[in-house]
């Protein structure tokens, strides 16, 4: 009798750090593990932050980012990549060159352009470089302000407006877009994946809004979950269905972690720990 051996997808996160473990690479690795993936990490920025905010950012030389990327791909067959914070133009170009050389089969980009408060996080040159990276990836996961920037449109105030912006971005960049309604008002949170083919007939998932301040790192965690699930599922829609259910549970069970005095992290392992 042959014993079945589970082969986890090997998922690389390229992102900044969070010393308190709720966002960035630390959150990505937890999310990857929660979805039965083997997580790897390349650091694009060292961030001194906690649940109350960011204090300082140190960006290593792009040559060191390239060395990290090459050290992984020279040795490991990568099944999926999640890209988070790329702080400057050199970083974006370095990652773009590496993607061109390695051609990972699944690439998810969380385009860190605008904070949820509306502050622009990149210089104009770096923002343009990041936009140039988008057509080379498979899925992007912008927040509401970032989707508005990419669509060159005002901030969406409704789910209908957000869908229109998602269609515009999917067609403009020829990429699948995870449209996330978490920052819109209302008691129900809608999410869907729009791609250039199914732009006008997306499958929309909904969940009740959970009133909590413990949402630190939700964007990082969701994009890492999508990258990990895609090699294991038939498409982006089935990956989103599972990732959204998991994230909803992780947010609902976050209070029990009691991490920090600000916006606490989600509970990535609520189901594993049996507290869901």
């Amino acid at each position: 009798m042959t014993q079945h051996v589970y082969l986890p997808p090997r998922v690389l996160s390229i992102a900044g750090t969070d010393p308190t473990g709720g966002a960035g690479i630390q959150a990505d690795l937890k999310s990857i593990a929660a979805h039965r993936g083997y997580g790897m990490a390349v650091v694009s920025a060292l961030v001194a932050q906690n649940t109350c905010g960011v204090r300082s950012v140190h960006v290593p030389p792009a040559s060191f980012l390239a060395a990290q990327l090459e050290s992984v791909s020279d040795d490991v067959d990568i099944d999926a990549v999640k890209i988070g914070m790329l702080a400057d133009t050199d970083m974006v170009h370095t990652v773009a060159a590496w993607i061109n050389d390695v051609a990972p089969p699944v690439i998810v980009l969380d385009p860190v352009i605008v904070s949820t408060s509306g502050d622009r996080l990149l210089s104009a040159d770096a923002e343009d470089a990041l936009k140039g990276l988008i057509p080379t990836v498979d899925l992007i996961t912008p927040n509401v302000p970032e989707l508005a920037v990419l669509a060159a449109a005002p901030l969406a105030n409704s789910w209908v407006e957000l869908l229109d912006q998602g269609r515009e971005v999917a067609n403009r960049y020829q990429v699948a877009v995870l449209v996330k309604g978490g920052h819109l008002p209302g008691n129900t949170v809608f999410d869907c994946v729009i791609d250039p083919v199914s732009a006008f007939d997306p499958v929309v998932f909904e969940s009740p809004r959970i009133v909590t301040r413990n949402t630190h790192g939700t964007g990082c965690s969701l994009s890492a979950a999508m990258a990990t699930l895609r090699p294991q599922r038939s498409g982006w829609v089935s990956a989103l269905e599972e990732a959204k259910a998991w994230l909803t549970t992780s947010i609902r069970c976050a209070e029990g972690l009691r991490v920090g005095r600000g916006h606490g992290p989600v509970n990535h392992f609520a189901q594993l720990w049996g507290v869901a």
Side-chain angles (χ1 to χ4, degrees):
M1 182 176 178
T2 303
Q3 183 179 6
H4 175 71
V5 177
Y6 174 68
L7 298 176
R10 295 150 294 188
V11 185
L12 174 64
S13 166
I14 306 169
T17 63
D18 177 3
T20 60
I25 274 181
Q26 285 86 342
D28 288 351
L29 291 175
K30 292 174 185 176
S31 181
I32 293 165
H35 292 92
R36 304 183 72 200
Y38 177 81
M40 301 171 285
V42 164
V43 177
S44 60
L46 298 165
V47 185
Q49 66 172 308
N50 56 29
T51 63
C52 298
V54 174
R55 298 185 177 185
S56 180
V57 179
H58 172 70
V59 179
S63 59
F64 184 68
L65 176 63
Q68 292 182 82
L69 291 167
E70 291 164 6
S71 68
V72 177
S73 57
D74 284 350
D75 181 43
V76 181
D77 292 327
I78 299 169
D79 297 301
V81 175
K82 176 267 169 84
I83 305 171
M85 178 182 183
L86 298 176
D88 59 32
T89 304
D90 288 343
M91 289 284 181
V92 177
H93 288 162
T94 297
V95 171
W98 178 80
I99 288 174
N100 185 63
D101 289 341
V102 176
V106 174
I107 307 173
V108 175
L109 171 64
D110 188 12
V112 181
I113 300 173
V114 188
S115 69
T116 54
S117 61
D119 296 325
R120 297 294 263 263
L121 302 175
L122 295 177
S123 68
D125 288 344
E127 188 175 301
D128 288 343
L130 192 64
K131 290 176 181 177
L133 182 65
I134 291 175
T136 71
V137 310
D138 301 293
L139 175 75
I140 62 172
T141 63
N143 60 26
V144 171
E146 286 160 349
L147 189 57
V149 169
L150 294 175
L155 198 67
N157 292 310
S158 70
W159 177 244
V160 172
E161 291 178 3
L162 203 64
L163 283 178
D164 286 342
Q165 292 183 7
R167 294 185 183 103
E168 167 63 27
V169 171
N171 287 315
R172 178 180 298 184
Y173 294 96
Q174 290 298 293
V175 68
V177 181
L178 175 49
V179 180
K180 304 183 295 185
H183 292 130
L184 295 176
N187 295 323
T188 303
V189 177
F190 301 98
D191 298 278
C192 73
V193 175
I194 290 180
D195 61 53
V197 176
S198 63
F200 290 93
D201 189 28
V203 178
V204 179
F205 298 100
E206 61 182 76
S207 61
R209 183 177 301 280
I210 300 168
V211 180
T212 177
R213 66 188 304 175
N214 299 307
T215 56
H216 182 53
T218 51
C220 306
S221 301
L222 181 57
S223 58
M226 293 294 285
T228 308
L229 286 168
R230 181 60 188 89
Q232 305 178 71
R233 300 294 178 262
S234 59
W236 290 119
V237 173
S238 57
L240 176 58
E241 182 178 20
E242 185 170 338
K244 181 174 174 64
W246 165 80
L247 185 59
T248 300
T249 299
S250 299
I251 295 172
R252 179 168 51 81
C253 298
E255 186 68 30
L257 291 176
R258 299 186 181 181
V259 174
R261 295 188 297 273
H263 293 281
V266 305
N267 191 338
H268 296 82
F269 300 121
Q271 293 171 319
L272 178 65
W273 294 344
V275 298

